[in-house]
Amino acid sequence: MDVTKPTSIMCITGQSDTHLTDIQNHRLHSAIISDFLALQSAAQKAGFNLTIASSFRDFERQSIIWNNKFLGIRPVYNKQQKVVDLTKLNDVDKCIAIMLYSALPGASRHHLGTDLDVFDKAAVSDDYKLQLTPDEYLQGGPFAPLSNWLDTNLVKFGFYRPYQHDLGGVAPELWHISHIKQSQLLVNKLSEQVLFECIKNSELQGKQAILDNLPAIYKRFVTNVSPHLKEG
C-alpha cells in the first residue's frame, strides 16, 4: 500500500480494506452493518431469505475480471444477454461494452463496501446456479417477489438501487443495492483526477483508451446513477 495516499482515497478505489467488517462470509463497510441486518430481518419476516451474493471487491479482483473480459477469456454480454464479439471493436468500444455490466476498476461501487448484490436463497434450490441477470428479478423470475418487496422497503432501511433505471450507462441491475448515506460520503471523495492516477499506475488492459476518454467514461458510467427516493 502507498502510505502517502489518504486512507479514504485508498478505500474508494479498492486499494484498502480497513473500512470493512466480516459478515456472513462477506465484507461490508462497518458503518452499514446494523442497517443491513435490519433490512435482512425485515425481509425474513416478509418470507424472504435475503442473502449476499457479492459484496466488497478490491481493485486487484476487479482488474482480473476486467482484463479477462478485455482479452476475451470471459464473455461480455449486451443488454439482450448475447455475447459481444470484441474482436470487431476498437479498444474504447471494448471498454464501453465491458462497462455495461462490469465496473471500471478504481470506480466500482463494490470497492466501497456499501454496495452489495442480493438474492432470495429461499426461492431456489441449494444447487441453483445464480446468474445475476435481469430475467431472475423481473416478473416470472425466482427473485421477482423479493425485487418487488425491495422496491417498497429498501429506503426504509437506508438503501437504494443505484442501477435501477437505464440511464445509458451501466445496465439496470435490480440485484445491486447501496447504502444511501455511506456510499454518498465515499463517492463524493472520488474524482476524475483520483481515478486517472489510479488507472495510470495500473496494469489494466485498454488503459490508454480509458485514460484518453476518461471524462466521457466518468460522466456516463461512474456518476450516472439512479437517484434515491426519500422515505414516504
Side-chain angles (χ1 to χ4, degrees), residues 124-135:
V124 292
S125 61
D126 289 341
D127 61 354
Y128 179 81
K129 188 174 181 180
L130 185 65
Q131 301 294 319
L132 295 180
T133 54
D135 61 296

Side-chain angles (χ1 to χ4, degrees), residues 196-216:
F196 185 96
E197 292 299 323
C198 179
I199 294 171
K200 185 179 71 172
N201 295 316
S202 74
E203 299 297 328
L204 285 186
Q205 294 292 323
K207 179 168 71 173
Q208 196 57 52
I210 296 167
L211 295 177
D212 290 344
N213 295 275
L214 191 58

Side-chain angles (χ1 to χ4, degrees), residues 1 5-12 16 18-19:
M1 180 186 298
K5 296 182 180 179
T7 301
S8 60
I9 298 302
M10 300 296 286
C11 289
I12 62 177
S16 171
T18 59
H19 56 306

Side-chain angles (χ1 to χ4, degrees), residues 38-105:
L39 172 68
Q40 194 176 50
S41 178
Q44 184 175 22
K45 291 176 181 177
F48 305 105
N49 184 355
L50 190 152
T51 303
I52 303 172
S54 179
S55 54
F56 172 76
R57 284 197 297 271
D58 62 18
F59 183 89
E60 182 179 0
R61 176 58 185 157
Q62 193 70 22
S63 296
I64 291 171
I65 294 171
W66 176 276
N67 287 344
N68 284 345
K69 288 191 172 186
F70 193 95
L71 295 171
I73 298 171
R74 291 180 60 161
V76 174
Y77 294 96
N78 61 21
K79 291 180 182 178
Q80 292 72 43
Q81 303 306 303
K82 303 297 183 183
V83 176
V84 178
D85 184 358
L86 296 184
T87 64
K88 297 180 178 179
L89 304 179
N90 60 32
D91 280 1
V92 66
D93 287 338
K94 285 182 184 179
C95 294
I96 290 172
I98 294 169
M99 286 185 288
L100 187 65
Y101 285 112
S102 292
L104 181 64

Side-chain angles (χ1 to χ4, degrees), residues 123-160:
V124 292
S125 61
D126 289 341
D127 61 354
Y128 179 81
K129 188 174 181 180
L130 185 65
Q131 301 294 319
L132 295 180
T133 54
D135 61 296
E136 291 178 307
Y137 292 78
L138 297 174
Q139 186 173 357
F143 310 129
L146 171 64
S147 183
N148 292 335
W149 184 86
L150 292 174
D151 280 341
T152 56
N153 289 278
L154 270 179
V155 70
K156 298 176 185 177
F157 300 93
F159 290 87
Y160 82 116

